[in-house]
Amino acid sequence: MGWARRRTVATMMVMVMMMGVVVQATAVQQCCAAVEDVKEPDEFVYAYQAPLYKAGDPRIHNVVLEVYVMSKCGDAVQFVNQALRPVLERVGDLVDLNINYVANVTDEGFVSKHGALEVQGDMQQLCVMSVAPDKAFDFIVCCNDDYKLIPEVGEDCARALEIDLHDVNHCMKGHLGPKLLRASIANTHARGATWSPTIYLNGQMICRWNETPCYTPNPQALLQFICNAYQGPRPELCTSP
C-alpha cells in the first residue's frame, strides 16, 4: 500500500503538564479551532513514557517537538503527512515527538470539533501509542490517508502494521482509553493550544493553524526550525548550502 513506510525513529509520548491548573480554552469559529465548555480533568495517567537515553548518547541533545491536533481535522492531517512525515524521515533521530489532542471535557463527557467519531479517533490513536509506541506514528499517517473514515480506517491500518487490535480495542472500551484522552487534553489545555494544528519546539510555539509551516505544508521550513534548535553536532542535512 502507498502509505507503507519505514519506521520513524522519532519518539512518541504523551506527558501531563500543570496537573493542578485549570486553563479555559478560547472558543473561535475558524476551521479547526477548539470547542467550548472546558472542565478540569479529574484523573490523569502517563500514556507512554519515552525510554531514558543513556549518558553519552548523542540524542540527549534532541529537540522536543509538540504537535497538538484533532484526529479528523484536514489541516492537521495535511501538516502531519506532508510536512512532519518527510522531515522525520530525514532528521527523526534529532527529534522527540509528542502528539496531543485538541478537545474538551464536559459534564457529559468528551467533546471535539468534528464530533463523536473524532473523540473515538483521538482515543484510538492514544491507545496505539500506549500498546505499540514504535508503530504509532506510522499508524497515524496511515489513518490520515483516509481521515474522513477515522476511526473505522484505524482497524485496517492496525492490521497492516501488525498492531494487536485486541489490545487497542480493550484500551478504548476499558478504563485506560478515557484516562489517556483526559491526560492528553490536560496537556493541550496546559499549553493553551486551541487550534489544530499547533506546533511547539523546545517549549516555544512556532506555528498554529494558518501559519507556515502549519497551514501550507513546508517541510523545508520545519526542517530549518529543527536544525536551528538542535544543540548537538550539526548533521549534514542541517548545514547551510
Side-chain angles (χ1 to χ4, degrees), residues 123 127 167-180:
M123 192 180 301
C127 283
D167 289 347
V168 175
N169 290 333
H170 180 73
C171 171
M172 292 182 66
K173 295 175 182 178
H175 297 292
L176 181 58
K179 288 181 179 180
L180 298 181

Side-chain angles (χ1 to χ4, degrees), residues 6 9 85-94 219-228 230 233-241:
R6 65 176 178 84
V9 292
R85 179 180 61 84
V87 167
L88 292 182
E89 287 178 345
R90 299 177 68 188
V91 293
D93 56 344
L94 309 185
Q220 190 58 39
L222 180 60
L223 175 65
Q224 194 60 51
F225 274 116
I226 291 171
C227 288
N228 290 343
Y230 184 64
R234 198 164 182 82
E236 184 176 353
L237 282 171
C238 291
T239 303
S240 301

Side-chain angles (χ1 to χ4, degrees), residues 55-78:
D57 188 323
R59 291 183 297 174
I60 60 174
H61 300 286
N62 280 10
V63 297
V64 177
L65 186 65
E66 303 169 35
V67 178
Y68 299 90
V69 296
M70 303 171 187
S71 60
K72 291 176 73 72
C73 171
D75 297 323
V77 164
Q78 183 175 254

